[in-house]
């Protein structure tokens, strides 16, 4: 595994990577250098043949992440950067748009990662923490987690993905609007009830154990099948049924020709664990 | 606040409007003049700088609304209107289509209203009551509420918005079809379980109090942030992820230039309540 | 009712058809001839004027269906068929794509059926069983049912509809990905909690009784209203709000001209059961 | 015909309306009051049973329209209006957005008009003149017409419809970008060559005669057929093929039941002119 | 080649099929049995390994096709069929919708055919003739051809595909509306000028020769490449750019693995004609 | 201007960049290193405040570009790369898909470039040359240019953008399919007739002069207006009308606040050349 400045990345089990946001003294709050590196981490794992499932969590006891480092942003963030350059509203707007798109692209790298990502959240998970977690495939949390779509409290509509993805990962639009408009804190139990997370565990250790168990389960399956399933589900979310079926047929016209099908079937009959070629 | 014939509109708290459907003797059932006025009410509030959150409820003890006033409709409704004009099926169809679109437009004014709308429902909430409430942003109800997608019982597929919006505000398509195909009555508890409402309170008084509390909370935030959040969530519901992210970036390229960001941040640091310019 | 080779079809109540997958000795597992016949069954019921609601279940005590008959598939399935013909990857891909599309079309006949379909599931409901049930309108199950999106376990991304439809029938995307990526078994209670099914009953008998009760309820309503409601909800799932409202207006411009409206209203006033012309 | 302040509306032939932009001294340049009235004109004609085809042209010898009255805009336009109210960029942006949407809605009334609109252009047709003409169904011009997507020359990307519609009414995207990015003037002959207009006539009189001839031809046809054709073509432009075919089937399920089909067929056999009921 | 009742199908060159509408005495006008058989013809050719390109033309000297056989339709068509069954408008509408969809499906078989279809038109090409030709990939005509979107003249908006496809095969929307709203006859030269056809030849013999020459050219290419190109162009027409690029990447991930690439390249170097395996 | 290995980039006029593909000895044929660098060039120009319009051409007398360097591809291209790694069809497919997407992204950088790109083509413009030119905004060519969608001739469906973009830049779908299915060479005059190019000049010198004249014209306009126009036209191409209008309104809510509007208007009145702040 490569070494990163702001992230700890190790492999707790075969084919499983664990990525930790590693700025615990600042509640894992993000500044620009960090999200640029986040993209490098996930772009690398996406095509690494040694990785089949990824766990994403926050280092330390207190937070998954407190979100954007507001102090850093006010000193060196996009508004600060625009200030010196121009006073023209339209030109500032172009600068902001470029910045937001780059920021979005960095966070979207989690969703675009070909391998499934399991996000394990504890303590504080505010603002950017939700942008990040809505990009993950499976969400797990602790019972003490405190979630908030925090942006409204700093005068902003969240723009790094939460407002785009939350209505597509949770079915209750009334709840989505409630938490997004009010910035109120909600708990792991509430998150489970509405389907934002799949599991709530008693503490960080247990939540990570659950994440690892799930990651190992996925890593034992055919990577052709698992990665195809992620791709097809993400495609389905965004497309009409007929388009999704058509895309699925074309996808599988190559994927089904894999030797994994035969290996998986034989292992099923023989009750052995199949081994699959790297991908 | 302006005075309306069929709606009571007052301001129970600063920047909060309360709109009551006001025909309690007839269970707040609607006839054409009422939905035309409903649009005037919400179009006005949408651009009123003195309003930042809206509560919508039904006057009286018995009903949010019983829906369409069927008797009025059979005497003066669209079918009656077409009858005298022509016997040609295609020409009648054009007349009906115009009528349905105008009716839809009136109800959609709630969704298009730039300010968040909190719908508080008690007693009977049938037919048009669901068309209306699916346009609202946050739904709250009493434990005695009786909901029904009633239209099937009068030989109709609901056409004023319920069938278009319900699959997008509730995640369980099996449940959506169950209640829409059968017109069966469902309770507040069931509505909470599937995510149709966000909160169930013991009676109308408590539900209105919850609605007011929520409205006040939203009204204290930056209106730039709150109204942007509503717009971006509604856009996300209807668009592909990539389009939603692109739209968000453009939206915020102007919105982020607001002074509200600085005010909100400063207030956060100083632990004071921020004051925001009207919008 | 016509007689079929692999399906039992009878009419347990007026206007209600009951379709049973009828290969209980093999856990109702499917081979090609069966899904071709499934399409014939549903295409026929779709336009049969004597049917207004359909129940779909599996014969025998042990399974709704175990899914694809893997043994049959490995002996005579698509991969086997391609083998003899060509060794060119692209040509095989074309053959597979044609096969998958035909297979998808057969299963989609349940969704395209103009009459509402209530799927009652017990015992094993694996793989193709989920493809089939996600096409149904209302899902009911027993408490002993064992569900699994099984395909990943045989090296495949599910391609007959589950991955395309599951994100649209269940609101929690975290849960959808969890079960689709892991192929883990989930229970009726879990299915109810996330909204995949609408009701869980104690055993097959009770579940079928619930299905029949629901089907009879739907069969008593105006078929113009019920079938229009199914069509408009399916359209809404796949389309933007504005398109859905426009389509609804055009649909109802003909549908509202039915005599069912008057019959239903009169019956409502007179407290009698309306009778509706066949459709 | 009603009388309007800024438009001349008369009926040069049965079922044909002629709308003239009537501010010839100012080259038919538009200020706000005018586009608000334009919407009233077309909304009225849209549902007038006495009108089946509409000609739109500019009064006087010199111009279809010079576009936005820039002087009026700089004195009382949207920017001027925002100025006094607020200096907050985000609040100004909201005000501008509301203004642009209202302006767009007014011009779109031409496209939404149920009756076909034939736009006849001569002399100057700049800026807003193109926004307007791209909403029309059929475009005719004189050989002396001078077209320009003028907005770039006043520091603006055209926002009242030209940039949204021009790529959909002309097939050559290279040409569309050429004229939109450069604001260069193009002639009627060039417009014909790329398909922007259908006919070029030698002068205004001849162009109006051609417009009238076409309008009369359309006005003699079944209004059910003509208005359905306009609706279905506009739907097709914006939708996928499968959606367009589906919408067409539903549309015609009512429209085909018109008596116009029999009348038209009989007249065809008898070589007489059919007469159709008003619509 | 199979023998058909209403179509002549032969193979004028290797891998080339020629389909002729064969009812010359009635100007190749269509009745229901014919379009049902048309679908059989094209569904068969679509998967026939011996065919790589198809020419479609009309038998006899006088017409490609006069379109729908209006007399047959008035005696046994959809309206006639509905008449006896029910007088309920909504029920008639359902019957009509089913009929239109089946009719559309038959004609769409030309577009869905995996092999490219070259449509050669002469004499009369009215109504259904345009529905059919807009499904083809390449259109060729004679200089004496007379085209008309005829439906408006019999009180109908064309519903078998012309209104859905014409705006997508011709770039000038003004022209599309002109001919669709007016039903006026247009010539081969006009068709060439607007891009509806690719070539105009002096007579039927020359047009067929041009069609055959084109078909032979396509039939000599790699069928993997040609059929993939047809599929990807049809996908592009209906989808956003990003979706089209994504689909293309997945499509070619299998297709590029064909041995045709090597064969084609080698032949290119050696200046020989490549031979490709059947598809 | 930065210096590049495979591209010459200079500034022939203020705010105008000229990018030349610079491998004339090999007919400017591309290998992987080149398209990776192409993206760097255009990503850099996209945000360079000193550039407002870009000309793209091929160095040397003989070719814009012959397309993919087939020899290099067969020695070091994607198929070669996959060969060594795996023999599993599905795994090869994943590798190919990654490669194609990266390749597409590089070429798409021309389209995503915020500044308008004018493509000037002479001599040979085959295969990848068309992928590249369909990304440009305005196309100009010489009368001796020879165009070909060449991929079919090497056993491939073009996958780097031509098949996705050509149907959206040229209105005649019959012509698009003709040239894409047959790989036949077409001339500049034919390209002009169908609207693929905007201008044909007698030789390379004249074509470059025309390109430069156009680029200078665009570079003199407000960059806020020009770049907004490019963005909105590209958005319109891919979106429904209502979405495009909505996006336009939001875009201009910031853009209109630019000082360029006032500067442009004043210059218009004073007949002077406006000067605009960098963007």
């Amino acid at each position: 595994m490569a070494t990163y400045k702001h992230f700890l990345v190790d492999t707790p089990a075969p084919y499983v990577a664990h990525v930790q946001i590693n700025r615990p003294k600042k509640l894992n709050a993000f500044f620009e250098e960090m999200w640029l590196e986040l993209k490098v981490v996930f772009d690398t794992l996406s095509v690494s043949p040694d990785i089949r499932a990824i766990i994403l969590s926050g280092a330390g006891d207190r937070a998954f992440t407190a979100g954007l480092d507001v102090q850093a942003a006010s000193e060196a963030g996009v508004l600060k950067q625009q200030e010196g350059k121009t006073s023209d509203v339209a030109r500032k707007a172009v600068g902001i748009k470029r910045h937001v798109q780059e920021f979005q692209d960095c966070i979207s790298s989690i969703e675009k990662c070909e391998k499934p990502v399991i996000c394990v959240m504890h303590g504080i998970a505010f603002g950017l923490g939700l942008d990040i977690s809505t990009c993950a495939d499976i969400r797990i949390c602790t019972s003490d987690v405190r979630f908030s779509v925090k942006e409204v409290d700093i005068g902003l509509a969240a723009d790094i993905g939460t407002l785009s993805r939350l209505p597509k990962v949770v079915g209750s639009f009334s709840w989505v609007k409630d938490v997004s408009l009010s910035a109120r804190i909600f708990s792991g139990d509430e998150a489970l009830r509405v389907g934002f997370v799949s599991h709530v565990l008693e503490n960080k250790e247990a939540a990570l154990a659950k994440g690892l168990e799930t990651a190992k389960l996925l890593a034992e399956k055919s990577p052709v099948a698992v990665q195809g399933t992620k791709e097809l589900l993400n495609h389905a979310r965004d497309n009409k049924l007929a388009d999704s079926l058509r895309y699925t047929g074309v996808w599988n016209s190559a994927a089904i020709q894999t030797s994994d099908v035969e290996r998986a079937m034989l292992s099923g009959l023989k009750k052995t664990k199949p081994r699959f070629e790297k991908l």
Side-chain angles (χ1 to χ4, degrees), chain A:
Chain A
M1 284 290 113
T3 302
Y4 297 94
K5 190 166 171 191
H6 304 293
F7 297 88
L8 289 173
V9 183
D10 63 358
T11 54
Y15 293 113
V16 175
H18 183 191
V19 177
Q20 295 181 67
I21 311 167
N22 191 25
R23 200 189 174 210
K25 286 186 185 168
K26 291 288 191 178
L27 297 173
N28 294 321
F30 275 76
F31 55 97
E32 186 161 8
E33 199 181 272
M34 287 174 75
W35 63 74
L36 293 171
E37 195 180 53
L38 177 80
K39 180 170 162 57
V40 177
V41 172
F42 278 91
D43 284 356
T44 304
L45 293 173
S46 181
V47 296
S48 163
D50 298 318
I51 297 303
R52 294 185 180 169
I54 301 164
I55 305 161
L56 172 64
S57 69
D61 294 336
R62 292 157 62 207
F64 172 64
T65 170
L68 190 69
D69 184 327
V70 174
Q71 200 181 333
S74 67
E75 283 164 16
V78 61
L79 292 173
K80 210 68 194 174
Q81 289 168 29
Q82 295 306 312
E83 241 170 57
K85 289 188 196 160
T86 177
S87 62
D88 190 66
V89 171
R91 284 168 174 78
K92 275 191 186 177
V94 168
I96 293 168
K97 187 176 72 74
R98 286 176 188 160
H99 172 84
V100 170
Q101 286 182 333
E102 188 190 56
F103 197 168
Q104 290 174 343
D105 279 352
C106 289
I107 303 306
S108 293
S109 67
I110 300 171
E111 184 174 288
K112 285 183 184 150
C113 176
E114 297 181 7
K115 318 298 166 57
V117 179
I118 299 157
C119 188
V120 177
M121 293 172 282
H122 75 288
I124 295 171
F126 281 8
L128 187 58
L130 291 197
D131 292 299
I132 287 171
S133 69
T134 52
C135 287
D137 297 291
I138 299 173
R139 279 167 294 281
I140 292 172
C141 71
T142 61
S143 54
D144 78 333
V145 77
R146 295 164 67 219
F147 291 114
S148 169
V149 185
K150 196 65 183 167
E151 284 84 347
V152 159
D153 276 347
I154 54 167
L156 288 177
D159 55 0
I160 309 304
T162 294
L163 299 185
S164 299
R165 289 189 179 94
L166 201 54
K168 296 182 174 172
V169 302
V170 170
S172 172
F173 206 35
S174 183
W175 180 84
V176 166
K177 285 187 161 169
D178 174 1
V179 297
S180 301
L181 291 166
S182 71
R184 73 171 173 80
I185 288 168
F186 59 97
S187 70
D189 284 343
E190 185 174 344
L192 181 65
R193 186 171 57 74
V194 300
F196 178 62
V197 301
S198 292
H199 306 281
V200 183
L201 281 297
E202 60 274 22
N203 55 35
K204 189 183 174 189
E205 192 183 1
L208 280 174
K210 179 71 184 175
L212 183 56
E213 176 202 316
T214 306
K216 284 162 75 174
L217 180 61
L218 304 192
E220 284 169 5
K221 314 275 177 188
S222 154
V224 170
V226 167
Q227 294 168 31
T229 297
K230 172 169 179 169
E231 166 76 9
L232 295 177
L233 285 171
N234 280 350
H235 187 276
R237 176 196 60 188
D238 266 355
N239 285 280
K240 299 190 176 201
L241 183 72
D243 294 318
S244 178
L245 290 172
R246 183 184 191 180
Y247 186 76
T248 300
V250 176
W251 182 273
N252 266 14
S253 74
I256 283 183
Q257 296 188 46
T258 180
S259 66
D260 291 18
V261 174
E262 198 180 345
R263 289 183 195 209
M265 283 188 179
L266 278 176
S267 297
L269 294 174
K270 295 185 188 167
K271 312 283 182 193
T272 59
K273 283 215 172 178
R275 296 195 45 191
F276 301 104
E277 195 188 324
K278 292 192 176 185
L279 174 59

